[in-house]
């Protein structure tokens, strides 16, 4: 559904089977309303995505003749997995076509479950090809150790681990998920792992016992969601995910920041800077967020596509980040567009400074 | 590394206590006789002043052993308990950790021989009463270390004199520097550095001097004034130079013992006349003694409190009534800024509390915000800070995910003047003004100007401290 979400843009025509409430006025004047299944075509005006339910809501004006509804009235079509639909675009550009190819390639699906935790906080996440979904955030206060008394602390910790275990059983489908990562600072992950499998044996939970080999323990710095990025950077995880797109995204973003640190003249972000670098044929790797394409009108979309094509023409790499992953989220925050250059362009920033000079504002 | 010029005031040795009936005094239910807390505070301080002391340093530097031994020598740990620790620790092959067991109390800490969370204890010297906070050294537990250090007025930095070990702790990946910078950023100005484990290097004066030569310039740069840092040679394991010195050892040293130096720590100015604030570092069901209710632990950051008063929990806004107070294991009818206390509350649902919540005066609640303007000092970071940089924001025991949403300006480190507006990124050891947004929820924060304690933040990412700072504005929206 994520691909579909990214594929449909405002102005496209969408044809799908849908349900609409229609009112009938009978000859006697009584009005009754009834739900009918129809096939409608609309011009897309608004798209909503619910990642939890995997549901798309697309609203627009009806443009197909029908005996139940008038042309030009509004309708919302809901799409979910396994529903057929027809999408007509004024123009299928390269980004859209690549999206279709990617969506059709099932070998690229590598579903991973990851639990990042520290004492008292856990985020139970699913990492799919295109998004990271937090299935549950567990916050369970654990009394701290006190002079002469650690029982409250130890009991609290057990209860917390129990909640993590319940959440894993509820939210992780072991038939799909190949790896379950437990990640934490210190020894929390080890203690949690021990607790889960001691309980699994005690309560004879086959679901867990049979999948014990799927569990991997990784170090990370906290139980906050962003620690997932550290987990995905871990060499042992990278090995398992090496050919997946999001593993690439994580690595590329890391490479960008490293470059910004080591050779700041070879790493730029923000449309103006990146455009300038593009014009001079300097871009080796272009990082773009899919959000730029989704929200964009056609001219804006074209502007990015021109950049993509020009980078590819000189042999550069282009990576479109999914904004539903943590690395994509971060790229979004970083204006959504960034570039690693093949050679330094120190004057890009200077040009800007010159433009800015003269409008000194005072910061309090 | 750069001096953190955040301290607008210096430590005053004259402990100016503002004796003035506070306009902010909340109502008290009539069955309690109202106490003039400021009078009482003054009386208590003429006897022995209370201070909070945090012990920090690289993992395995010997912090817990040193303090455990000190507590034992001071009679805070009885003979029988100490004997038991010796027996039990040697049973699991950890006999060298017997003194550390005084502070490392959880099963996990003892079996691994590592402190994981701050242990709180107390002791007295000739002129002072101390709440002792023994921090963990391991980098993974820095959030706990920050929670402890945020409660501290003064600190002991423990370094291991063993060949190679001091160096390991002092390197980029070691915690000696990170801890020192953190406590300084948290407002600690007075520091004792114990050059520990000197027994291992034959009490070598050369080694002692060598370490000081390396450490001192760094500490000065980090913002510790020369006359506020004192070095003490010792061994936490043998107990040498804690309370006294044996003959023929440390003959080259004639300075004070550790306890003599601790007794010289000067009490900082307390925010007695500000509205009441307590940052919750822990809470649990049940009251002090056999009282009912719920109990909250934390340090009073500002104002005063007495039994019978109402307090408000922020965020949430629910209120509770103070039923009991305890400072350093002794019950009390009142407490004041600077005290690390236990407080029993009734009329409050435990669901309302979170670690990092603020208990505050009902008439002057603390603001809640999710968007702030801060002045920060960037640490020795591996990647530069950009717009969109995700961080964990630490304030006392609270830690919450946040994002640096705007780089407003880079400042000149010495003059504070703007050097560059809207920078692309903040390089290491720069000073800057940034906007920060909380990702999940608003949290209670105050400007540094309003409250020096609640106005300080630490920003961490990937297990490293990337910046420390003060809050300039909480009303960015
Ligand atoms: N020889 C010698 N060994 C010491 C001394 N102080 C501590 N040790 C040993 O160093 C090891 C670590 O001591 P701890 O007191 O646990 O160190 P710590 O700094 O509290 O460690 P963390 O809290 O985990 O960071 C133990 O084996 C101690 O016996 C000392 O003065 N001399
Ligand atoms: Mg310790």
């Amino acid at each position: 559904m994520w691909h579909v979400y990214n594929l449909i843009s405002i102005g496209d025509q969408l044809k799908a089977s849908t349900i609409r409430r229609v009112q009938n006025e009978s000859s006697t004047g009584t009005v009754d309303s009834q739900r009918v299944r129809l096939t409608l075509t609309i011009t897309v005006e608004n798209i909503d995505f619910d990642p939890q339910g995997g549901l798309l809501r697309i609203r627009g004006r009806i443009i197909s003749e029908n005996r139940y509804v008038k042309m030009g009235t509004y309708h919302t079509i809901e799409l979910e997995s396994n529903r057929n639909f027809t999408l007509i675009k004024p123009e299928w550009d390269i980004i859209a076509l690549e999206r279709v190819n990617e969506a059709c390639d099932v070998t690229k699906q590598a579903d991973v479950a990851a639990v990042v935790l520290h004492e008292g906080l856990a985020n139970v996440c699913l990492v799919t090809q295109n998004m990271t979904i937090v299935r549950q955030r567990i916050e369970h206060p654990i009394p701290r150790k006190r002079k002469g008394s650690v029982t409250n602390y130890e009991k609290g910790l057990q209860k917390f681990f129990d909640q993590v275990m319940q959440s894993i059983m509820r939210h992780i489908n072991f038939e799909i998920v190949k790896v379950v990562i437990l990640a934490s600072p210190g020894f929390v992950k080890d203690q949690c792992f021990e607790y889960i499998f001691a309980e699994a044996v005690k309560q004879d939970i086959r679901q867990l016992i049979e999948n014990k080999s799927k569990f991997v323990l990784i170090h990370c710095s906290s139980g906050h969601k962003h620690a997932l990025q550290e987990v995905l950077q871990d060499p042992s995880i990278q090995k398992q995910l090496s050919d997946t797109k999001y593993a690439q995204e994580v690595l590329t973003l890391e490479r960008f920041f490293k470059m910004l640190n080591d050779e700041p003249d070879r790493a730029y972000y923000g449309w103006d800077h990146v455009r300038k670098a593009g014009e001079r044929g300097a871009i080796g790797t272009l990082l773009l967020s899919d959000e730029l394409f989704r929200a964009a009108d056609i001219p804006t979309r074209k502007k990015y596509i021109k950049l993509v094509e020009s980078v590819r023409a000189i042999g550069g790499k282009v990576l479109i980040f999914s904004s539903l992953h943590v690395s994509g989220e971060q790229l979004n925050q970083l204006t959504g567009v960034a570039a690693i250059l093949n050679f330094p362009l120190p004057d890009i920033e200077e040009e800007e400074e010159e433009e800015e000079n003269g409008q000194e504002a005072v910061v309090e | 590394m750069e001096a953190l010029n955040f301290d607008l005031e210096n430590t005053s040795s004259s402990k100016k206590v503002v004796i003035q009936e506070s306009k902010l005094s909340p109502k008290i239910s009539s069955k309690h006789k109202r106490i003039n807390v400021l009078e009482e505070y003054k009386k208590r301080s003429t006897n022995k002043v209370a201070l909070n002391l945090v012990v920090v340093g690289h993992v395995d530097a010997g912090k817990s052993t040193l303090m455990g031994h000190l507590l034992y020598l001071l009679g805070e740990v009885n003979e029988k308990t100490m004997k038991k620790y010796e027996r039990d620790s040697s049973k699991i092959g950890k006999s060298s950790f017997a003194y550390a067991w005084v502070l490392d109390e959880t099963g996990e800490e003892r079996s691994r021989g590592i402190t994981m969370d701050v242990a709180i204890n107390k002791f007295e010297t000739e002129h002072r009463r101390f709440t002792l906070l023994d921090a963990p050294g391991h980098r993974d537990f820095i959030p706990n270390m920050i929670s402890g250090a945020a409660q501290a007025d003064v600190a002991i930095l423990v370094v291991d004199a063993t060949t190679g070990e001091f160096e390991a702790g002092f390197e980029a990946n070691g915690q000696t520097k990170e801890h020192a910078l953190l406590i300084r950023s948290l407002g600690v100005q007075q520091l004792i550095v114990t050059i520990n484990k000197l027994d291992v290097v034959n009490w070598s004066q050369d080694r002692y001097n060598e370490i000081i030569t390396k450490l001192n310039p760094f500490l000065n740069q980090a913002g510790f004034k020369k006359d506020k840092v004192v070095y003490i040679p010792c061994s936490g394991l043998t107990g040498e130079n804690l309370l006294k010195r044996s003959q023929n050892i440390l003959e080259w040293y004639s300075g004070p013992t550790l306890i003599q130096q601790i007794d010289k720590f000067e009490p900082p100015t307390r925010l007695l006349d500000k509205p009441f604030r307590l940052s919750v570092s822990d809470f649990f069901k049940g009251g002090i003694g056999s009282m009912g209710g719920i109990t909250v632990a934390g340090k009073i950051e500002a104002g005063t409190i007495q039994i019978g008063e109402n307090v408000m929990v922020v965020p949430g806004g629910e209120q509770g009534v103070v039923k009991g107070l305890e400072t350093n294991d002794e019950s009390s009818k009142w407490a004041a800024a600077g005290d690390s206390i236990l407080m029993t509350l009734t009329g409050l649902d435990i669901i309302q509390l979170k670690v990092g919540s603020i208990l505050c005066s009902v008439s002057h609640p603390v603001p809640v915000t999710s968007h702030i303007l801060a002045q920060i000092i960037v640490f020795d970071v591996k990647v530069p800070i950009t717009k969109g940089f995700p961080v964990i924001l630490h304030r006392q025991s609270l830690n919450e995910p946040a994002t640096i949403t705007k780089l407003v300006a880079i400042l000149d480190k010495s003059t504070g003047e703007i050097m560059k507006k809207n920078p692309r990124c903040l390089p290491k050891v720069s000073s800057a003004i940034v906007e920060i947004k909380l990702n999940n929820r608003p949290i209670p924060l105050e400007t540094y100007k309003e409250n020096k304690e609640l106005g300080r933040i630490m920003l961490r990412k990937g297990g490293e401290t990337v910046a420390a700072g003060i809050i300039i504005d909480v009303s960015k929206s």
Side-chain angles (χ1 to χ4, degrees), chain B residues 60 64-65 82 85 89 93-102 104 109-110 112-115 237:
Chain B
D60 273 353
S64 304
T65 303
M82 201 59 240
Y85 289 166
S89 61
K94 297 259 176 207
S95 56
S96 73
F97 286 89
Y99 288 120
W101 278 28
V102 173
D104 296 346
E109 287 179 323
R110 287 182 176 177
R112 296 191 190 264
I114 192 167
T115 306
L237 193 65

Side-chain angles (χ1 to χ4, degrees), chain B residues 199-423:
Chain B
D199 56 314
V200 184
V201 291
N202 252 320
W203 311 104
S204 158
Q205 182 178 12
D206 287 345
R207 181 62 172 159
Y208 174 78
N209 287 334
E210 181 193 356
I211 289 173
I212 294 178
T213 315
K214 286 186 181 157
L215 207 48
N216 204 42
F218 165 76
L219 290 175
N220 290 338
Q221 259 175 31
F224 289 99
K225 295 216 180 75
K226 278 203 174 65
D227 58 335
K228 300 275 198 248
V229 182
V230 180
Y231 297 88
I232 307 268
C234 67
S235 162
L237 193 65
T238 68
E240 199 59 35
N241 206 22
L242 303 192
L243 299 199
K244 51 182 196 281
R245 283 192 289 278
S246 332
Q247 274 186 339
N248 306 327
I249 293 180
L250 291 176
E251 279 163 330
W252 44 267
Y253 177 80
S254 57
T257 61
L258 179 59
I259 201 74
Q260 284 167 344
Q261 191 59 42
I262 291 176
D263 193 47
K264 289 183 195 156
F265 274 130
E266 286 170 5
T269 332
R270 305 289 186 197
L271 305 174
L272 290 171
D273 52 350
K274 292 266 182 186
F276 174 73
R277 301 255 183 279
L278 175 138
S279 171
V280 178
S281 62
D282 190 15
F283 60 92
F284 46 91
K285 275 197 194 116
I288 300 165
S290 51
M291 226 183 272
I294 43 184
T295 299
V296 169
K299 179 191 162 203
I300 303 183
E301 306 290 359
T304 63
I305 192 78
Q306 56 184 288
I307 288 176
E309 279 180 341
N310 277 10
V311 290
M312 183 189 280
V313 184
V314 175
E318 296 292 314
Q319 294 185 20
V321 185
V322 181
K323 284 287 167 197
L325 290 166
E326 193 180 288
T327 323
N328 288 334
D329 299 343
E330 278 168 38
S331 74
S332 164
K333 290 197 162 50
W334 59 273
D339 293 348
S340 283
I341 63 164
L342 287 180
M343 176 193 279
T344 298
L345 294 168
T346 56
L348 188 73
D349 190 339
I350 196 156
I351 302 273
Q352 299 296 331
L353 287 169
K354 285 207 163 59
V355 164
S357 294
I358 305 277
L359 297 185
C360 53
S361 128
V362 175
S363 55
H364 292 77
V366 64
V368 175
T369 179
S370 54
H371 193 176
I372 56 169
L373 188 69
Q375 181 179 338
I376 61 169
I377 301 264
V378 181
F379 282 27
D380 200 357
V381 286
K382 291 204 192 83
V383 297
I385 294 179
T386 53
K387 177 179 157 64
F389 201 81
V391 291
I392 308 293
L393 182 146
H394 291 254
R395 192 229 66 217
Q396 274 88 16
S397 307
L398 182 82
N399 61 84
E400 279 282 321
T403 306
I404 297 182
T405 50
K406 190 167 180 208
L407 310 181
V408 179
I410 296 186
L411 307 178
D412 183 300
K413 274 174 287 182
S414 43
T415 64
E417 266 167 43
I418 294 177
M419 285 173 35
K420 186 170 174 33
K421 280 181 302 149
N422 301 318

Side-chain angles (χ1 to χ4, degrees), chain B residues 83-94 101:
Chain B
K83 281 267 143 22
K84 186 170 156 40
Y85 289 166
E86 275 163 23
R87 266 198 323 273
D88 293 353
S89 61
S90 82
K91 252 187 239 157
I92 61 162
K94 297 259 176 207
W101 278 28

